[in-house]
């Protein structure tokens, strides 16, 4: 805050140019400085402000850090649908999963690292949509109807960021092909449109839908752990976890990919409970989850 | 995290029902508990989970807390436009302001409390849009193109929340009429649509636009402070600041509305610098602002 205060009255042309110039030169005297930049610059590059000079995930929102015990305790669970909305949500998820499994030949052939990275990237790029859309709609409604939000927004944003970190972590291992990436662009278009429309009509449906999606995510990551154990993805037992993952989940320095998958699965189990709970609350009831919980 | 861990494996039907029931009964044994709820409940109401039982703005993102010195140092400033994009952004802001001033007869007649609350509510309900839209687009692009965000999202979300807190604070003083509120709904529709389209084509234009909007916001709140000094809004010199504002800006317990307006003006001056700076950076350059700065 002190550094900010120092520059807060600047916004004449000369002053903004000065800010930008100093920042680019890595002269952070007057600019809020990512401390760690200095640190990482000397190790990774001499050029400040290049993408690789500042590590990903420096300023993430609070999120749960799982203990070894918590990681192991995660189970596949299912909340039986009640009423029309729940059944519709569950039907949607099951249908999507079946089509997706067939198209990607998930249950036939060997599930090697490439297949897993593709699947994880696709799932996470889709999974990052609902939290952000939900947060945006609740934010806009609060502004528009001039009433409070009841504390939901931060939880939805934390979920969205968490899913995006899952994606960025998977990308540290391998970048999918251009063909695949084009499919992702299309999938996002569909997902954003459908989810937005659904959120206008029934937020309850949307949170229940995410709850069921996360049930499937836990199943998927449990299968991934099996594949790591049983052989087709054994390489993740010894492959070191990316730096990003070690920082984000506060893993030990010598953590392996298997530890990363355990952490991701725990995150998904957490989203599952959160979304099923939100779906069971009225929109004007207070969100029971604090930041980072 | 401990309480969460405790319930994380729950999501059978019975378990979710139990979570929701316990929460509604105010039995937070197993549910992440807003500690302060207990505290406020005894003072304000015996019924948990009613809107008035849990104060607004409990879980806000980090944001600058201004010192008395910083509050006084805020100036009206102007960044001269450079190039077509800047000039277009500045033209837009000036035109909007002129039309708005005429329609609301801002410069004619007495600017009393009602007039000021209306103006502040309208401005803040619009001001909360850009940060959320910008954050959403950058989030979606990161997911879609499978690349990092360069740390912009949190700053944009903090701005959006800060503007929403400005609105909720003003609403503590007086709720505008239904006719006025209908206008706000329409204005948001226009703003969300236009800003979204603009963000797709030119984020630079959008951040510059917000930079100029904030220049005007500082002018407006400076005028508000003049009215508090000179008489037509003298009542805000002695009217106590709402609890929400005292908590949010960490004001002294006996703070008055004039202190709230000073804090809001400092926030706007901060958004002004932030957005002008972001407009001057490439989209793939690292955001120099840390959380809460
Ligand atoms: Fe995920
Ligand atoms: Fe998830
Ligand atoms: Fe504002
Ligand atoms: Fe602002």
């Amino acid at each position: 805050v002190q550094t900010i205060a120092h520059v807060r009255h600047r916004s004449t042309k000369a002053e903004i140019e000065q800010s930008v110039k100093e920042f680019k030169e890595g002269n952070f005297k007057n600019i809020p400085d990512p401390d760690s930049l200095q640190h990482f610059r000397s190790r990774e590059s001499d050029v400040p402000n290049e993408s690789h000079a500042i590590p990903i995930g420096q300023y993430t929102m609070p999120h749960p850090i799982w203990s070894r015990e918590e990681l192991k305790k995660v189970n596949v669970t299912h909340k039986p649908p009640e009423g029309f909305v729940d059944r519709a949500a569950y039907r949607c998820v099951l249908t999507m999963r079946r089509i997706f499994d067939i198209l990607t030949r998930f249950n036939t052939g060997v599930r090697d690292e490439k297949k897993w990275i593709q699947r994880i990237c696709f799932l996470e790029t889709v999974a990052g949509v609902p939290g952000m859309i939900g947060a945006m709609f609740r934010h806009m409604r609060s502004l528009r109807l001039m009433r409070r939000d009841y504390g939901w927004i931060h939880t939805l944003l934390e979920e969205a960021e968490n899913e995006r970190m899952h994606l960025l972590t998977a990308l540290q291992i391998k970048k999918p092909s251009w063909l695949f990436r084009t499919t992702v662009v299309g999938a996002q278009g569909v997902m954003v449109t459908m989810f937005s429309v659904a959120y206008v009509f029934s937020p309850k449906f949307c949170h229940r839908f995410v709850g069921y999606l996360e049930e499937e995510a836990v199943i998927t990551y449990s299968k991934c752990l099996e594949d790591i154990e049983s052989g087709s993805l054994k390489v993740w037992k010894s492959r070191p976890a990316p730096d990003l993952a070690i920082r984000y989940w506060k893993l030990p320095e010598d953590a392996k990919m298997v530890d990363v998958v355990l952490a991701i699965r725990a995150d998904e189990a957490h989203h599952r409970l959160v979304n099923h709970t939100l779906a069971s609350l009225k929109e004007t009831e207070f969100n029971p989850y604090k930041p980072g919980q």
Side-chain angles (χ1 to χ4, degrees), chain A residues 163 214 268 271:
Chain A
E163 301 290 13
E214 301 291 2
E268 310 297 12
H271 302 158

Side-chain angles (χ1 to χ4, degrees), chain A residues 10 28 63 86 89 144 220 222 234 236 262 266 292:
Chain A
R10 308 178 161 207
F28 290 96
H63 60 99
D86 285 14
R144 186 173 69 233
T220 297
S222 296
K234 205 168 53 191
W236 282 13
L262 279 166

Side-chain angles (χ1 to χ4, degrees), chain A residues 66-204:
Chain A
W66 309 109
S67 69
R68 188 146 284 276
E69 207 182 24
E70 290 168 324
L71 293 175
K72 299 288 181 187
K73 239 197 297 182
V74 176
N75 292 315
V76 170
T77 64
H78 176 56
K79 182 208 171 297
E82 280 173 280
F84 174 73
V85 170
D86 285 14
R87 273 192 299 274
Y90 192 43
R91 192 64 56 90
C92 274
V93 169
L94 285 188
T95 310
M96 282 170 60
R97 168 150 202 157
R98 254 166 231 157
I99 294 174
F100 185 56
D101 281 355
I102 292 169
L103 290 180
T104 58
R105 278 170 289 180
F106 184 64
N107 294 312
T108 55
V110 181
R111 288 188 296 264
D112 57 5
E113 186 175 57
K114 188 184 161 202
K115 206 169 185 179
W116 269 113
I117 288 288
Q118 279 211 347
R119 188 178 184 91
I120 293 174
C121 286
F122 188 89
L123 291 177
E124 299 298 355
T125 195
V126 166
V129 170
M132 183 53 84
I133 298 287
M136 189 199 58
F137 274 102
R138 288 193 71 100
H139 177 83
M140 294 302 173
R141 189 175 56 190
S142 169
L143 294 174
R144 186 173 69 233
L145 304 184
M146 298 193 170
R147 65 169 201 222
R148 63 179 301 186
D149 163 60
Y150 302 98
W152 292 42
I153 292 172
H154 72 83
T155 293
L156 298 173
L157 290 176
E158 284 162 24
E159 180 192 297
E161 183 186 77
N162 182 252
E163 301 290 13
R164 200 167 64 84
M165 296 306 291
H166 294 172
L167 171 67
L168 293 172
T169 299
L171 290 172
Q172 302 292 305
I173 304 297
K174 202 193 205 81
K175 297 231 189 267
S177 66
W178 271 104
L179 179 67
F180 175 83
R181 292 160 80 103
T182 312
T183 319
V184 162
V185 173
Q188 186 182 88
V190 174
M191 184 70 184
V192 169
T193 312
M194 305 275 276
F195 200 84
S196 299
V197 171
Y199 212 91
V200 170
F201 287 102
S202 175
K204 182 189 164 72

Side-chain angles (χ1 to χ4, degrees), chain A residues 220-231:
Chain A
T220 297
Y221 284 111
S222 296
K223 189 154 250 161
C224 182
L225 289 167
E226 276 172 36
D227 281 2
I228 293 173
E229 278 309 313
S230 77

Side-chain angles (χ1 to χ4, degrees), chain A residues 8 25 30 65 69 78 107 133 173 176 184 212 217 238 242-243 258:
Chain A
R8 202 161 40 73
E25 284 168 356
N30 291 319
I65 301 297
E69 207 182 24
H78 176 56
N107 294 312
I133 298 287
I173 304 297
V184 162
Y212 286 126
S238 53
D243 281 352
V258 62

